[in-house]
Amino acid sequence: HSSQPTPPSYPAHLPLLPHAGRYPVPSSTPRLNAYVAPIPPHRGGTGTYAGLERIARKAKAALRERFTALAHHLSVEFLKETYAQMNRRGAAGVDRVSMAAYGQNLESNLGNLVDRLKRRAYDAPPVRRVYIPKGGNPKKLRPLGIPAVEDRLLQAAVARLLSAIYEPIFRDSSFGFRP
């Protein structure tokens, strides 16, 4: 257990997790404050989350620096944008909530999710396991995990943030998987 102060809403018997810059980083490592708010349309912005472009520029300009705080980017606006980009035909997870059902009360659902994230009370639900026929042999089945809509949304949002950091530093000769 580290000597860091424990936030009042965080159980003292649990170790601090590497969130929001709470993990030890050597003092010799430069840190970046990555907070960037979206620029609203009435101020000349597009209304989209401009912070991703700024994060990407910072990541490319300062290759040796570390982003130590990104959780604050998981706002209702950012999650709403991410939801709009998601596949609407995805199957429901273990909670049986479809994309359409989650979207009917989107503002409230996203507000609730952001609140749980801030309180560190979000707990990913189990992944629903289904078996589908294998490609070349329909008699053989392969397992497929289907996460809940809310968990898929959060995974996609985190992937967007991390892609903004790592995509600019990939070389053109890199052929690994990228979303």
Side-chain angles (χ1 to χ4, degrees), residues 76-118:
V76 171
E77 294 80 22
F78 185 70
L79 292 172
K80 192 185 298 184
E81 247 184 54
T82 304
Y83 179 84
Q85 297 172 5
M86 290 176 63
N87 178 4
R88 297 277 186 267
R89 299 180 336 148
V94 71
D95 59 0
R96 300 290 183 189
V97 175
S98 67
M99 285 288 290
Y102 192 83
Q104 284 178 349
N105 200 5
L106 188 61
E107 285 287 330
S108 174
N109 287 335
L110 294 179
N112 182 301
L113 175 59
V114 168
D115 180 57
R116 284 182 286 141
L117 289 170
K118 286 180 181 177

Side-chain angles (χ1 to χ4, degrees), residues 39-162:
I39 301 170
H42 69 275
R43 297 212 176 201
T46 61
T48 61
Y49 203 76
L52 289 179
E53 290 175 19
R54 292 186 207 151
I55 289 172
R57 281 197 307 267
K58 283 183 180 185
K60 191 165 190 163
L63 296 176
R64 307 241 344 124
E65 294 184 347
R66 293 185 185 186
F67 289 87
T68 58
L70 295 170
H72 58 273
H73 287 285
L74 297 174
S75 64
V76 171
E77 294 80 22
F78 185 70
L79 292 172
K80 192 185 298 184
E81 247 184 54
T82 304
Y83 179 84
Q85 297 172 5
M86 290 176 63
N87 178 4
R88 297 277 186 267
R89 299 180 336 148
V94 71
D95 59 0
R96 300 290 183 189
V97 175
S98 67
M99 285 288 290
Y102 192 83
Q104 284 178 349
N105 200 5
L106 188 61
E107 285 287 330
S108 174
N109 287 335
L110 294 179
N112 182 301
L113 175 59
V114 168
D115 180 57
R116 284 182 286 141
L117 289 170
K118 286 180 181 177
R119 291 183 292 117
R120 294 185 179 190
Y122 176 77
D123 193 21
V127 174
R128 184 165 67 102
R129 174 75 62 190
V130 295
Y131 292 88
I132 61 172
K134 259 187 159 175
N137 187 353
K139 291 184 180 182
K140 281 193 167 190
L141 299 176
R142 71 175 182 90
L144 181 67
I146 303 173
V149 169
E150 191 169 70
D151 197 44
R152 264 197 328 254
L153 170 63
L154 192 53
Q155 289 177 27
V158 170
R160 284 180 67 201
L161 285 174
L162 294 178

